[in-house]
Amino acid sequence: MKILFLFSAIFLSSMSYGMCNDYHEKTEDLFNLATDVYLAEVVSAEQVEGINYKSSFKVIEQYKGEASSDGSAKYQREPHSILLTPGKQYLFFFRGDNFVSVCTGSRIFDDRMDVIHELRALAKQQA
């Protein structure tokens, strides 16, 4: 039964990525398509209505976009979204609307410094 659950989870996970029309796996592609890119810590998260949520975050490091020390994000409880948890750090790739989606590259920060080094280099190239 555990194996069936595992295969189901992998299958459904791969399906959700396949449904992103313009998903790019390369950090450079995600960076180039984004208007704002941040490493941020979520301060609060709350349900607004139905599947709609909003959160506030504190910017830890900015790589692209308007200078900001804090901000807000919108997300939905659906396959392409990330449920934001206060106290956790995330990489946000926004495309002008502050909507959190795995399709645009937003994800939980897993302490992989190689991604941070790449984002710093991309920011430096753009400056």
Side-chain angles (χ1 to χ4, degrees), residues 17-95:
Y17 275 111
M19 292 169 50
C20 295
N21 292 336
D22 57 354
Y23 182 77
H24 299 274
E25 291 185 16
K26 289 183 176 181
T27 301
E28 183 176 3
D29 293 337
L30 297 168
F31 183 88
N32 288 334
L33 290 170
T35 55
D36 302 278
V37 181
Y38 304 113
L39 171 61
E41 181 176 325
V42 170
V43 177
S44 68
E46 63 182 290
Q47 185 176 12
V48 178
E49 181 183 325
I51 63 170
N52 298 310
Y53 290 76
K54 69 176 181 177
S55 71
S56 61
F57 60 85
K58 175 180 62 173
V59 174
I60 297 169
E61 194 168 347
Q62 178 180 344
Y63 308 103
K64 186 177 184 181
E66 295 291 321
S68 177
S69 60
D70 57 12
S72 64
K74 302 176 287 187
Y75 59 103
Q76 294 179 331
R77 193 172 184 96
E78 54 103 34
H80 298 97
S81 199
I82 303 166
L83 298 180
L84 302 177
T85 305
K88 297 223 181 248
Q89 294 179 355
Y90 297 84
L91 288 170
F92 290 134
F93 291 79
F94 294 133
R95 294 187 184 172

Side-chain angles (χ1 to χ4, degrees), residues 10-21 23 79-80 102-103:
I10 292 170
F11 177 73
L12 291 173
S13 172
S14 67
M15 278 182 54
S16 71
Y17 275 111
M19 292 169 50
C20 295
N21 292 336
Y23 182 77
H80 298 97
V102 295
C103 294

